[in-house]
């Protein structure tokens, strides 16, 4: 830490370091190994701060809500939509698709991620997950793992059909991820 950084810790320092808008799209994506030491694993909270413009977030939420309408949830009746923002500003959406065996069910977040990867996208900045619930509906463990491996510590926005319920970093949902560091 330089002399000018000594007075800034915690949320103030993170706020200064945070990028916004198009600037956050030029950041590095995790490439299978971690550039940080173990002492630097600190989740970054976003609940009290707006991390992006309202227009960008509104578009992502609308895409997730629209994707949710295509969900194939005939067993659980629990429809989920997701929208993944790429580093170039594209929005790739997905919905959950159930199977009678449940084990073959695929979540909305993974559908969006797999679509994005199969279309050649490899840099991601944020994911929105929408469900018709009062409480935030976070990604499941499998989705968290895949999002971590392919997207890194992206912003996660959890919303229902009326409002954003929570904003956080993926590292808050998956605080000690398994990745190439352990291989």
């Amino acid at each position: 830490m330089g002399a000018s950084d000594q007075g800034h810790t915690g949320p103030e320092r993170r706020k200064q370091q945070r990028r916004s808008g198009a600037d956050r799209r030029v950041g590095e994506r995790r490439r299978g190994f971690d550039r940080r030491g173990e002492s630097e694993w600190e989740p970054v909270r976003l609940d009290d701060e707006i991390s992006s413009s309202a227009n960008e977030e509104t578009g992502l939420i609308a895409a997730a809500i629209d994707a949710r309408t295509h969900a194939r949830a005939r067993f659980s009746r629990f429809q989920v939509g997701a929208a993944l923002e790429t580093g170039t500003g594209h929005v790739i959406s997905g919905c959950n698709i159930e199977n009678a065996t449940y084990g073959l069910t695929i979540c909305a977040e993974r559908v969006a991620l797999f679509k994005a990867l199969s279309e050649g996208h490899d840099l991601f900045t944020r994911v929105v997950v929408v469900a018709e619930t009062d409480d935030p509906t976070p990604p499941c463990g499998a989705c968290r793992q895949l999002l971590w491996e392919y997207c890194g510590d992206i912003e996660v926005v959890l919303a229902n059909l009326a409002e954003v319920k929570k904003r956080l970093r993926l590292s808050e949902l998956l605080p000690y991820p398994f990745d190439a560091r352990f291989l």
Side-chain angles (χ1 to χ4, degrees):
M1 234 188 238
S4 63
D5 294 336
Q6 290 176 351
H8 300 284
T9 59
E12 289 179 18
R13 181 164 172 74
R14 287 191 299 268
K15 186 174 180 181
Q16 288 175 345
Q17 292 174 335
R18 191 182 73 230
R19 299 178 310 242
S20 63
D23 181 40
R24 71 183 142 72
R25 293 187 188 105
V26 297
E28 290 186 23
R29 179 179 72 88
R30 296 177 59 89
R31 296 254 185 233
F33 64 94
D34 197 334
R35 296 171 188 85
R36 298 170 292 188
E38 286 301 314
S39 64
E40 296 175 354
W41 277 102
E42 180 182 339
V44 179
R45 296 211 53 87
L46 295 174
D47 282 336
D48 300 328
E49 302 172 0
I50 296 177
S51 64
S52 60
S53 75
N55 288 341
E56 288 177 346
E57 187 171 279
T58 300
L60 282 169
I61 293 169
I65 289 172
D66 182 58
R68 185 184 164 278
T69 65
H70 302 291
R72 304 288 191 226
R74 64 182 178 183
F75 304 104
S76 71
R77 307 277 188 251
F78 189 70
Q79 297 175 301
V80 180
L84 186 62
E85 181 183 50
T86 71
T88 57
H90 287 90
V91 175
I92 311 294
S93 62
C95 62
N96 58 316
I97 302 171
E98 291 182 353
N99 182 273
T101 65
Y102 280 106
L104 296 178
T105 294
I106 186 165
C107 301
E109 300 91 314
R110 283 183 276 161
V111 170
L113 178 61
F114 294 159
K115 282 174 58 179
L117 293 171
S118 70
E119 292 173 10
H121 300 284
D122 66 353
L123 180 66
F124 306 98
T125 57
R126 165 174 48 182
V127 64
V128 172
V129 181
V130 173
E132 189 174 6
T133 60
D134 290 331
D135 294 323
T137 303
C140 73
C143 289
R144 293 175 195 196
Q145 178 65 32
L146 283 163
L147 287 169
W148 183 265
E149 286 197 43
Y150 290 100
C151 304
D153 195 14
I154 61 172
E155 181 180 1
V156 179
V157 178
L158 306 175
N160 62 21
L161 300 180
E163 64 183 334
V164 170
K165 299 304 260 179
K166 192 166 193 68
R167 288 181 188 85
L168 56 152
R169 302 299 298 190
L170 187 56
S171 59
E172 291 180 89
L173 291 172
L174 193 62
Y176 192 66
F178 182 87
D179 55 24
R181 294 175 298 162
F182 299 104
L183 299 176

